[in-house]
Amino acid sequence: MPAARASSATLPTEVSLARIISQGLIPATAAPDIVAAVSRQLAIQGQQVSAVPHALLVRTSEATPADVDAAFARGDLVRSWPMRGTVHITTAADHHWLRVALMHRTDAWVRRSEADYGVDTALCERAAEVALSLIEDQGALTRSVLLAAWQEAGLMEAFRGEDVSAYRRRHLLVRLQREGILVQGPRAGNEHLVMDARSLPDADSGPAGAGVAHGGTGHRAACAHIAYRYAAGHGPVSAEDLARWTTLPKTQAARALEDAVELGEEHASAEGAGGPAGARVPLVRAVAEGGARGGLRALDPGESAPKAGLLYMRADLPDLLSAHRGAAQATYFLGSFDELHVGYKDRSCLTDDDGERLICPASNGMFRPILVDRGRLVAVRPVGEGLLWKGGAAPSARVERDVNRAVTRMERRLAG
């Protein structure tokens, strides 16, 4: 039997194909609607507002841009900083419990914000009062209206003799969303309006129940639910992948994934015993074998797990891959910051270092839309520009044809 890969080895392309299936990018696993697409992923990166419809539509079969706008307008989806100090899209139902479970991971940022820019508790309380009063009077606000109100209220004064208003504006926006006071909802132009977050389902209403904050009685259970949703919607994944996605320490991420395996087993047992039926598929442990051209193998029950390279995925993924390999190998046009790329620490199954530089050529952290064929990056398509091929040219006439067709199809969907 081939040895399981070392943690530093290249993941086989088979892992990329499996991730495409888990992410709902093929017809057989696509979500029935926009909200379900987000719920299955738990969170989808939403840093670039214009890329959000692309990320959501590609995970559904028939949804339109109007469906995306309607989901935000109804309050079913929100945009905020629930984890990792990065903007994500979540369902309204998941927002607060996810935010509270991971909020402690940005405590150091809060301390730096207070020390460097004077964004302390008193300033945040005053900013919240101004924002909530204005929202009550006018409804959801554009960012410019809210920032002007903070300026008028005297919240942008110099700190230690220096003008820090540019930093304060952003830090207040992030801080009040981090702490569950504000959130972004309906889209207006190229922004999501700021609204009162207190009306969303509270943190105790999540799947882990009460006490999900760090140190609380429900925190470990909340981490298990995060790990389960992440592995089911992104798998195969490792503890290192989950640690990067959530910023949880690796040891805690590994424990959460093991807890998630038990969570899936308990659910399956409850169904088998006549309990309520649900959509939760058990998770299994797996290994990648044989290097870049190798494969993916689920571990047998009771089989010893390797010390390095252990992966987690939904239990039915091998069968799905066998049945839908052709669909997974198809050509996909994915938007900037798509979860198939940014949702992992180890992306070696998708591309190499040259591909990473093609996706993000500058140090500003801006990622280009990508084209994936047979599980590998073949090109990027910067917004407003043409295709840039990995290696400088299309690898074949077939790939060039399929890439152009994929771009055309998605552009038509995005145009409504």
Side-chain angles (χ1 to χ4, degrees):
M1 181 180 295
R5 71 179 190 97
S7 59
S8 59
T10 299
L11 285 170
T13 303
E14 190 95 339
V15 171
S16 186
L17 298 178
R19 288 175 172 178
I20 286 169
I21 293 172
S22 293
Q23 293 249 2
L25 296 174
I26 70 169
T29 57
D33 57 57
I34 292 294
V35 178
V38 176
S39 179
R40 179 168 52 195
Q41 303 294 113
L42 182 56
I44 290 179
Q45 191 159 325
Q47 184 169 337
Q48 187 172 321
V49 172
S50 59
V52 169
H54 194 157
L56 303 188
L57 292 180
V58 78
R59 289 170 170 82
T60 64
S61 296
E62 299 180 0
T64 66
D67 295 325
V68 176
D69 289 342
F72 282 103
R74 289 193 307 268
D76 293 337
L77 297 181
V78 294
R79 181 176 184 263
S80 187
W81 284 267
M83 63 179 189
R84 208 169 77 226
T86 303
V87 181
H88 283 81
I89 308 300
T90 65
T91 66
D94 286 325
H95 173 70
H96 278 313
W97 77 264
L98 176 63
R99 175 190 63 77
V100 170
L102 297 176
M103 190 165 66
H104 66 289
R105 299 304 300 167
T106 53
D107 284 349
W109 174 83
V110 169
R111 292 191 293 270
R112 290 194 303 271
S113 179
E114 182 171 347
D116 295 345
Y117 310 121
V119 183
D120 56 16
T121 300
L123 185 72
C124 289
E125 289 177 350
R126 179 61 182 138
E129 290 175 4
V130 171
L132 294 174
S133 176
L134 198 58
I135 290 169
E136 184 178 6
D137 182 52
Q138 299 183 16
L141 307 171
T142 63
R143 177 175 174 144
S144 61
V145 167
L146 177 57
L147 296 182
W150 283 341
Q151 179 78 41
E152 186 177 346
L155 304 184
M156 298 297 141
E157 72 274 9
F159 180 63
R160 295 174 180 167
E162 296 185 11
D163 180 9
V164 296
S165 57
Y167 300 100
R168 272 196 178 180
R169 285 193 288 266
R170 182 181 187 279
H171 281 236
L172 283 172
L173 279 168
V174 176
R175 179 82 174 268
L176 294 184
Q177 292 183 61
R178 170 193 182 269
E179 296 181 5
I181 298 167
L182 302 177
V183 73
Q184 298 168 60
R187 180 170 168 173
N190 200 36
E191 69 174 305
H192 287 265
L193 302 180
V194 180
M195 52 185 272
D196 188 342
R198 298 173 301 171
S199 62
L200 302 181
D202 65 26
D204 292 349
S205 67
V212 299
H214 183 243
T217 56
H219 183 252
R220 179 169 176 173
C223 289
H225 281 279
I226 291 169
Y228 175 84
R229 300 270 289 278
Y230 175 66
H234 289 74
V237 297
S238 66
E240 291 87 351
D241 291 322
L242 178 61
R244 182 203 169 275
W245 200 67
T246 59
T247 70
L248 289 171
K250 180 185 171 182
T251 53
Q252 189 175 357
R255 185 180 71 177
L257 283 165
E258 286 297 315
D259 288 346
V261 172
E262 294 184 10
L263 191 67
E265 291 172 348
E266 291 171 1
H267 187 84
S269 296
E271 286 188 1
R280 182 178 296 157
V281 178
L283 299 182
V284 294
R285 303 169 186 87
V287 291
E289 300 172 327
R293 296 181 179 273
L296 179 67
R297 181 176 66 85
L299 297 183
D300 295 326
E303 183 178 352
S304 297
K307 293 183 178 180
L310 183 61
L311 301 172
Y312 298 80
M313 62 187 187
R314 48 190 291 173
D316 60 352
L317 194 51
D319 290 339
L320 288 169
L321 182 56
S322 177
H324 303 287
R325 179 177 295 273
Q329 291 177 326
T331 307
Y332 292 93
F333 178 35
L334 307 176
S336 303
F337 300 99
D338 193 87
E339 285 289 315
L340 187 67
H341 178 245
V342 301
Y344 309 90
K345 179 177 181 180
D346 189 342
R347 308 188 283 242
S348 59
C349 59
L350 179 68
T351 194
D352 55 18
D353 289 344
D354 289 339
E356 292 288 352
R357 285 188 290 271
L358 188 64
I359 295 170
C360 185
S363 59
N364 61 3
M366 294 305 294
F367 289 65
R368 291 163 161 172
I370 64 176
L371 278 300
V372 177
D373 181 81
R374 296 188 178 180
R376 297 288 294 180
L377 175 81
V378 293
V380 299
R381 192 171 184 273
V383 177
E385 301 181 34
L387 291 167
L388 298 177
W389 294 98
K390 186 176 183 297
S396 70
R398 194 276 304 167
V399 171
E400 183 174 19
R401 179 199 68 208
D402 289 352
V403 160
N404 284 315
R405 286 177 176 175
V407 170
T408 299
R409 283 195 303 269
M410 182 49 64
E411 287 185 333
R412 287 174 178 167
R413 288 193 70 186
L414 290 168

